[in-house]
Amino acid sequence: MRTRFGIGRSGTTRAATLPLYQAIVARAREMHWYEAGAVPDTVDGRFDMVAGILTLVLLRLETAPEGPEPSARLTERFVDDMDGQLREIGIGDIIVGKHIGRMMSMLGGRLGAYRAGLAPGGDLEGALVRNVYRGEAPSPAALAHVASRLRQFHAALAATPVAAILAGMLP
């Protein structure tokens, strides 16, 4: 059964980024985020986790000379998926563009917040409360779980060759 924020139904294909996008969505749908991490298993919560994992991948790609083109294609695939998901839940043509604009703004905000939060001395937990938990802090254990797993993923991405990441082989 297809889950929300899975692979989009857009006719536009970006074959080169499909394996990576599928891996990002699969990582974001891992149950530990929603169980141990107390991320709400809702449309918004799933969006927040897809956007979070995507953000970490985009941050990794921005460190590589070959990263800009795949980053752009991956972002386009994300837009295609979000467009399809919005239409599937009943958002009409007239306002779908406004929603996509807001989602892209949210993705851009996460790029800045997570970049700063993952830097030495950064406040990743604060960024997570704002972006994943939408201002409502979960239990300290849940927040620690998500922060720890994202830090581990970030470090593992840094050690993974870009070619492997682009092939969808996330650490």
Side-chain angles (χ1 to χ4, degrees):
M1 180 172 133
R2 187 178 124 155
T3 59
R4 238 199 241 274
F5 297 113
I7 301 307
R9 57 189 179 100
S10 171
T12 304
T13 59
R14 288 174 175 74
T17 60
L18 182 59
L20 177 53
Y21 192 72
Q22 287 175 323
I24 288 167
V25 171
R27 180 66 52 93
R29 292 299 292 140
E30 290 175 354
M31 289 310 298
H32 70 89
W33 302 117
Y34 307 93
E35 292 171 347
V39 173
D41 194 5
T42 62
V43 170
D44 286 343
R46 291 186 294 268
F47 168 82
D48 293 332
M49 284 314 306
V50 169
I53 299 298
L54 174 62
T55 294
L56 295 184
V57 170
L58 291 173
L59 289 174
R60 170 61 176 103
L61 292 177
E62 78 181 13
T63 68
E66 68 272 31
E69 183 186 350
S71 289
R73 285 182 286 141
L74 187 59
T75 302
E76 290 168 355
R77 182 170 287 284
F78 172 73
V79 169
D80 286 348
D81 187 21
M82 295 304 105
D83 181 271
Q85 298 300 328
L86 288 169
R87 292 174 192 283
E88 191 173 295
I89 62 173
I91 304 295
D93 288 339
I94 296 173
I95 59 170
V96 78
K98 182 182 271 189
H99 284 280
I100 292 294
R102 246 184 303 170
M103 288 177 171
M104 292 309 295
S105 177
M106 292 168 76
L107 181 63
R110 282 168 173 79
L111 282 163
Y114 293 172
R115 184 184 296 113
L118 289 163
D123 181 18
L124 181 60
E125 288 78 358
L128 293 173
V129 169
R130 288 187 307 276
N131 292 288
V132 173
Y133 300 102
R134 308 217 175 184
E136 302 269 337
S139 72
L143 182 58
H145 174 82
V146 173
S148 172
R149 287 296 191 96
L150 289 178
R151 282 188 181 100
Q152 290 169 7
F153 183 56
H154 180 255
L157 282 170
T160 303
V162 170
I165 292 169
L166 295 175
M169 293 183 278
L170 295 179

